[in-house]
Every structure is written in C-alpha cells, then in structure tokens.
Amino acid sequence: MPPGRCFLVGAGPGDPELLTIKALKAIQGATLLLVDDLVGEDIVALASPRARVIHVGKRGGCLSTPQAFIERLMLMAVQEGEIVVRLKGGDPFIFGRGGEEAEHLRAAGVEVEVINGITAGLAAATSLGIALTHREHAHGVMFLTGHAGHGQAGLDWCEIGRTARAAQITLVIYMGVASVREVEAGLLAGGLPARTPVALVRNASRADQEHAIADLGSLSHALQASGLASPCVFVIGDAVRAGNCVAALAQSMAL
Ligand code: SAH
C-alpha cells in the first residue's frame, strides 16, 4: 500500500479564487477531506468526486466534532494510505487551532505538510482598500483574538491600546463579537483615541460580504446597530482612514 500523506490546508477567507495553487492541488489530490465550517461548499466542490468529505465544524445545529476525534481519524486514515486534507478557513496557523493539530499529529508520528491560506483579516482589510501598514499611518499590525482559550484569561486590552497608540500599530481582531465591550473599553482606557477609525467586516471576500465603518468610541454600538455577526473581524487604527470605504463616511463623521 502506498504511504498516506497528511496536509493541513488554508482554504482562505471564502473566495475560491483566493486559494493558493498549492492548496488547490492538495484539495484536488485528496482522497479524504476533513472540512471546517468556515470553508464554503464552492471550495469543497473542487475536490475529486471520488474523495470522501467529512464536515467537522460546529455549525448547522451539530456540536463541534471533538478535536481528539478529528486527530484520531486523520491518523488512522494516513496509516491506511489515504491522502488526507484537513481544510481550515483562512490560514491554518492563524487562530483556529491549526498549531495544536499539527503538534498532536507529529507527536503521533504523522508528518504534516502545512499550506498557507490568506487569513480573514488580510482579506477583510484589502476588500475595503485598507493597507494595514500604510507608511503614513502604521508601523506594524497585530492579529489578536477576542476569544480566550478555555481556562485562559482574556487579553489585556488596556495594555494593547497603550502599545497600539505608542507604536502606531493597526489592530486586527478575530472572534471579537462577544467581547466587543471589553475590547472597546480596554483600548480606550489604554489611550487609543475615541475617534480612531474601525472597520467591521463580515464574510470577507464572499458574495455576501458586509461591512460597517465606525470609530472606536462607538464600536460596540456600531456593531449592534449594524447587526453584523460572526464571522467578523475588526480592523482598528488610522490605516483604516486611508481605505476607499471611509472617504465618504469620514466627512460626515469627521473621522
Ligand atoms: N484561520 C482563520 C481564523 C479562524 S478563527 C483565518 O486565518 O482567517 C475564526 C474567526 O476568523 C471568526 O470568528 C472571524 O473572526 C474570522 N473570520 C474567518 N473567516 C472570516 C471571513 N470570511 N470574514 C470575516 N471574518 C472571518
């Protein structure tokens, strides 16, 4: 039996045209695909008709498949000679637990090949013409999660606000919908000005993408008023001001 292989593949933010060529080749070559729920059906449809597809996400009324079960399944399939592709939204190593998965598989003796994807925060910013590190507005960018892992304390948003202000860092916050009030209050307490512009982007790069522009002082209010829900990223910082989405709004809001 030929040896199996295991790929951890980033499916990008949604638009199939944003897949890398490597990711596309891996998807087409898979005999078994394990698919997260942020991955759209148009990407899964690129797989061979002979491939088996298993959805392991939390949505659609089912509980999330336990991580340990997914890892055991991958392990067994590779040992049986399957070409396994674990398809994850965005980039496999930006949140979404790809790091843990690769670690567990390697510990069990399975070599994992990781293929990058375009992470949601990059796609969200670019879709609105926002250059995250525009030289006149930012010296760097931070990718942050609003959702702490089990048993972990959340981020110190006050400290992050202080750093973002002092070092002119654009903040890209994933999974921030539930903790938006703490994010807003903490960043303000850290000294990030209330008029700092914020872009909220849902379903970045998909046909049903939606966005809202606000300022930090009214972030949680704007989120509620816009009705934007997960999956949503917040892009916070002066770099947002230079995006093509803001020009019209900026005048009316005096951003
Ligand atoms: N690995 C993924 C992130 C997984 S964590 C990546 O690199 O993009 C899940 C979070 O990612 C969501 O709660 C949301 O904050 C963000 N997200 C994923 N896809 C998104 C999309 N198309 N538009 C906006 N946010 C998205």
Side-chain angles (χ1 to χ4, degrees):
M1 187 197 319
R5 288 176 77 181
C6 182
F7 296 88
L8 194 52
V9 177
D15 179 354
E17 294 201 357
L18 290 179
L19 280 172
T20 65
I21 294 171
K22 266 192 180 188
L24 177 62
K25 285 181 178 168
I27 292 168
Q28 289 172 335
T31 59
L32 174 65
L33 283 105
L34 299 175
V35 182
D36 265 4
D37 47 25
L38 281 174
V39 179
E41 281 309 309
D42 40 2
I43 289 181
V44 178
L46 298 169
S48 154
R50 290 183 304 280
R52 276 190 299 147
V53 177
I54 303 179
H55 290 271
V56 292
K58 314 184 188 92
R59 280 163 220 194
C62 302
L63 280 177
S64 164
T65 314
Q67 193 67 21
F69 176 79
I70 299 173
E71 286 159 15
R72 258 206 321 277
L73 195 64
M74 288 168 82
L75 200 65
M76 274 166 40
V78 173
Q79 283 161 353
E80 285 167 9
E82 302 242 31
I83 312 292
V84 180
V85 164
R86 173 78 170 106
L87 204 48
K88 295 180 92 75
D91 184 87
F93 280 176
I94 298 286
F95 307 117
R97 308 185 67 179
E100 281 160 72
E101 227 164 87
E103 218 168 60
H104 290 164
L105 288 160
R106 286 184 181 134
V110 172
E111 196 41 53
V112 185
E113 298 169 60
V114 183
I115 299 177
N116 284 122
I118 293 179
T119 190
L122 288 183
T126 302
S127 72
L128 301 181
I130 298 164
L132 291 172
T133 60
H134 190 301
R135 212 156 68 119
E136 281 163 31
H137 302 289
H139 296 311
V141 57
M142 268 192 216
F143 294 104
L144 301 154
T145 173
H147 180 77
H150 286 300
Q152 290 176 341
L155 288 175
D156 181 342
W157 293 105
C158 179
E159 196 53 45
I160 288 164
R162 205 172 289 143
T163 307
R165 180 177 190 180
Q168 277 188 272
I169 304 287
T170 307
L171 305 178
V172 182
I173 302 175
Y174 293 63
M175 296 173 273
V177 170
S179 54
V180 65
R181 284 174 199 281
E182 292 101 90
V183 171
E184 176 184 320
L187 295 177
L188 290 170
L192 208 54
R195 57 194 291 273
T196 306
V198 182
L200 304 99
V201 187
R202 176 168 199 245
N203 288 330
S205 90
R206 297 170 197 252
D208 54 354
Q209 173 169 334
E210 301 170 89
H211 76 268
I213 303 294
D215 58 23
L216 180 60
S218 59
L219 170 59
S220 51
H221 179 256
L223 179 66
Q224 200 179 19
S226 66
L228 293 181
S230 184
C232 183
V233 289
F234 311 152
V235 183
I236 305 177
D238 284 335
V240 173
R241 204 185 301 279
N244 56 18
C245 56
V246 186
L249 267 166
Q251 284 176 331
S252 58
M253 293 174 64
L255 279 174

